[in-house]
Amino acid sequence: MSGLGRLLVAIYGILALAATVRSLYQILSRFNEAPVAYLLSGLAGAVYIVATIALIRQGPWWRRVAGAAILFELLGVLVVGTLSITLGDLFPHDTVWSVYGRGYGFIPLLLPIAGLVWLWRSDPTRVRSEPIGSEPIRSEPIRSEAAGSSEAEK
Amino acid sequence: MIEWLTWAQVVVGLAAGVLCVAFFCAQRAPNDYTLGAIALVELLLVVQAVTAIVAPFVGNSPSGDGLEFALYLITALLLPVLAVVWALSDRTRWSTLILAVVAWAVAIMVFRMDQIWTGSGL
């Protein structure tokens, strides 16, 4: 896996831990205040865990899982972010996605975008379909893919 | 929480992050300096944990939510440990950058813990 990919995995891991623990606290201590928001918070935490694992694993199937999880997060932060502003009663301002992830330095909004860009850039099938002799940026993802898979075999 | 200890912890966390970024830019894998900085961050968290357990018995009770505070503290205590495990298994300069991310994350969490303890903030 390339360096930026590892950084992405680390940040996803931290966010997964933070979001999961926080939602557990919310569900355990004041679930009745906003059941929809706190259940969604728990779901968000679970999907961050799935995304973290899928980004670490190699292969086309895990790549699709990672893509789906990240896309879900992007939709989540956009929809819940908007609803938390327009329907404040339903979505209190203390879930991971509220106000586009403001409580987490907008990382929940930026991270899915970074994740999708990374998945797209490191996609081995995309590299093959590129015309020969174009920009040489492609050489890095090829090497990193190869290094990543050999790491996984160890 | 003891206010000066909290602020010292935030400053140490931020400084440890800057140190790790400097070593990352120098293309270094995790070494004694960067791992030492993370160890210091963890040590201060342990001190904070002991302080938080003792404080209510000497008349310094949290005015905020004790359970939320405890969950933050436990999560913060886990992060440097996980980062060091990562750093020891992945001997590249990128692990040094991840140490920086964790140091900053802990600094932010300690800041939040102070808000939770005092019942202020969001």
Side-chain angles (χ1 to χ4, degrees):
Chain A
M1 191 186 285
S2 72
L4 282 178
R6 286 178 223 189
L7 180 65
L8 205 59
V9 167
I11 298 176
Y12 259 104
I14 294 172
L15 195 63
L17 190 65
T20 306
V21 173
R22 196 177 195 189
S23 71
L24 274 179
Y25 160 74
Q26 289 166 335
I27 289 169
L28 289 177
S29 70
R30 44 204 172 96
F31 181 65
N32 294 331
E33 287 176 26
V36 180
Y38 293 151
L39 277 180
L40 213 54
S41 209
L43 181 66
V47 174
Y48 282 121
I49 294 173
V50 170
T52 308
I53 295 168
L55 282 173
I56 296 169
R57 300 298 178 101
Q58 303 292 321
W61 191 82
W62 282 110
R63 184 170 278 280
R64 273 200 295 276
V65 172
I70 293 171
L71 210 59
F72 177 84
E73 288 162 17
L74 186 60
L75 285 175
V77 75
L78 291 177
V79 171
V80 174
T82 307
L83 286 176
S84 66
I85 294 170
T86 54
L87 292 173
D89 298 342
L90 193 58
F91 290 97
H93 286 190
D94 61 348
T95 75
V96 65
W97 284 336
S98 298
V99 200
Y100 307 110
R102 189 180 59 183
Y104 291 81
F106 295 105
I107 290 172
L109 179 63
L110 301 176
L111 206 52
I113 298 169
L116 288 176
V117 169
W118 185 76
L119 274 179
W120 180 74
R121 276 201 45 164
S122 65
D123 187 351
T125 57
R126 181 185 74 90
V127 171
R128 239 177 277 126
S129 65
E130 292 267 309
I132 298 159
S134 61
E135 292 297 306
I137 347 157
R138 290 171 287 117
S139 58
E140 204 207 348
I142 300 175
R143 260 190 278 120
S144 61
E145 262 323 289
S149 55
S150 66
E151 256 169 41
E153 283 156 19
K154 271 179 208 168
Chain B
M1 281 176 108
I2 301 167
E3 209 177 338
W4 62 263
L5 176 64
T6 304
W7 285 112
Q9 219 173 342
V10 171
V11 170
V12 167
L14 293 177
V18 171
L19 180 81
C20 291
V21 167
F23 274 98
F24 166 75
C25 293
Q27 313 223 345
R28 301 293 179 81
N31 55 23
D32 287 353
Y33 299 105
T34 46
L35 286 171
I38 295 301
L40 180 63
V41 168
E42 177 74 0
L43 178 71
L44 287 176
L45 281 171
V46 173
V47 172
Q48 187 66 260
V50 174
T51 310
I53 293 166
V54 173
F57 295 105
V58 292
N60 179 6
S61 296
S63 41
D65 191 329
L67 173 64
E68 190 176 16
F69 177 87
L71 286 173
Y72 260 83
L73 184 55
I74 292 165
T75 310
L77 278 164
L78 274 175
L79 285 181
V81 176
L82 295 174
V84 168
V85 170
W86 181 314
L88 294 178
S89 62
D90 174 20
R91 305 290 300 157
T92 68
R93 70 193 182 107
W94 292 93
S95 295
T96 309
L97 187 59
I98 285 154
L99 292 178
V101 171
V102 165
W104 283 334
V106 168
I108 294 166
M109 289 181 76
V110 171
F111 177 72
R112 270 293 293 155
M113 280 157 59
D114 183 63
Q115 289 184 331
I116 295 165
W117 182 279
T118 56
S120 64
L122 295 172

